Amino acid sequence: EAQVTQNPRYLITVTGKKLTVTCSQNMNHEYMSWYRQDPGLGLRQIYYSMNVEVTDKGDVPEGYKVSRKEKRNFPLILESPSPNQTSLYFCASSLQGTLWNEQFFGPGTRLTVL
Amino acid sequence: GQQLNQSPQSMFIQEGEDVSMNCTSSSIFNTWLWYKQDPGEGPVLLIALYKAGELTSNGRLTAQFGITRKDSFLNISASIPSDVGIYFCAGHLRNNAGNMLTFGGGTRLMVKP
């Protein structure tokens, strides 16, 4: 089944404890992206990647890191999480960067930072 | 980043009624998109609009790309209980800063059977 998977789905952590949220797609998509969703603010793009080894900042990149060493994986790294990073995170992918409109979204990761 | 104002924030309607929601921006976009998000799921694309003035339908859904390129609306006709969810507009602009997809704050739709 073609899909975007994220792990974990739920995570509660404490301030300053490094964490990684994994994202993987099995559709051979070139473009991958991370969003955070907060009430009343919709989805805001954190980082995106047009292809392997190519990453760019989105609207709200501060406090996050990403890497794209392989085509299928695009992990989101929080080196020192803070409470304002408590949010619902979505990974998305599309076949090509020019087909960003046909993005497939993962199921989401709900992160709580205490 | 750019701001998208989506309204209304929430709607509670009777099954069978028509629904209308819209998004406005202070800046222009090249493309407007409408997504629906069911509880516990990621957004799913409903309609994509590529040209100013374009009117596109997908079943009971109709969306339009405003002439000024700064707004878009989504209409749902004859609503049914499975229309419940959060609807998001999104605008895409490609510029020197890169490919940016900006989302509205969402419209939460509730349908009473």
Side-chain angles (χ1 to χ4, degrees):
Chain A
E1 179 188 355
Q3 59 185 349
V4 179
T5 56
Q6 297 177 226
N7 281 293
R9 293 291 311 277
Y10 302 91
L11 179 61
I12 301 174
T13 188
V14 295
T15 298
K17 186 177 181 181
K18 180 180 178 180
L19 66 91
T20 299
V21 183
T22 65
C23 173
S24 182
Q25 49 89 9
N26 61 1
M27 296 170 279
N28 201 36
H29 283 175
E30 290 184 354
Y31 180 91
M32 298 186 74
S33 180
W34 276 103
Y35 298 86
R36 60 177 288 174
Q37 183 178 16
D38 301 291
L41 296 178
L43 286 87
R44 292 179 293 169
Q45 193 173 43
I46 303 171
Y47 270 94
Y48 65 94
S49 169
M50 298 289 281
N51 212 326
V52 175
E53 300 291 3
V54 180
T55 62
D56 286 290
K57 295 178 180 179
D59 274 331
V60 287
E62 294 77 20
Y64 304 94
K65 285 174 57 177
V66 293
S67 69
R68 188 88 183 276
K69 293 185 171 59
E70 310 164 275
K71 200 172 196 178
R72 65 181 294 130
N73 296 321
F74 190 46
L76 180 69
I77 303 156
L78 284 72
E79 293 273 3
S80 182
S82 61
N84 64 13
Q85 292 178 298
T86 292
S87 187
L88 179 58
Y89 291 86
F90 286 101
C91 179
S93 73
S94 64
L95 186 60
Q96 296 174 359
T98 52
L99 296 177
W100 43 266
N101 55 310
E102 296 176 6
Q103 289 184 84
F104 292 84
F105 283 82
T109 295
R110 186 167 293 281
L111 172 66
T112 301
V113 182
L114 302 174
Chain B
Q2 300 190 55
Q3 298 291 323
L4 279 186
N5 297 310
Q6 185 171 348
S7 65
Q9 287 189 336
S10 62
M11 302 180 73
F12 188 57
I13 62 170
Q14 193 77 32
E15 182 179 0
E17 288 183 356
D18 296 343
V19 173
S20 184
M21 59 192 80
N22 68 82
C23 275
T24 60
S25 170
S26 57
S27 305
I28 63 172
F29 287 106
N30 295 332
T31 304
W32 282 92
L33 308 168
W34 285 92
Y35 289 85
K36 182 191 178 197
Q37 184 179 23
D38 291 322
E41 305 283 336
V44 174
L45 182 68
L46 298 174
I47 293 179
L49 302 157
Y50 301 103
K51 297 180 190 176
E54 180 181 354
L55 183 71
T56 297
S57 293
N58 179 7
R60 293 178 297 106
L61 278 60
T62 302
Q64 184 157 31
F65 191 147
I67 291 289
T68 64
R69 295 170 62 191
K70 293 183 180 181
D71 63 306
S72 177
F73 72 74
L74 174 71
N75 288 340
I76 305 173
S77 63
S79 58
I80 59 178
S82 61
D83 289 335
V84 164
I86 304 178
Y87 292 79
F88 291 100
C89 63
H92 175 259
L93 181 65
R94 183 170 184 168
N95 55 26
N96 292 336
N99 270 303
M100 304 291 274
L101 190 61
T102 304
F103 282 80
T107 295
R108 184 181 294 275
L109 178 64
M110 294 158 280
V111 180
K112 183 178 180 182

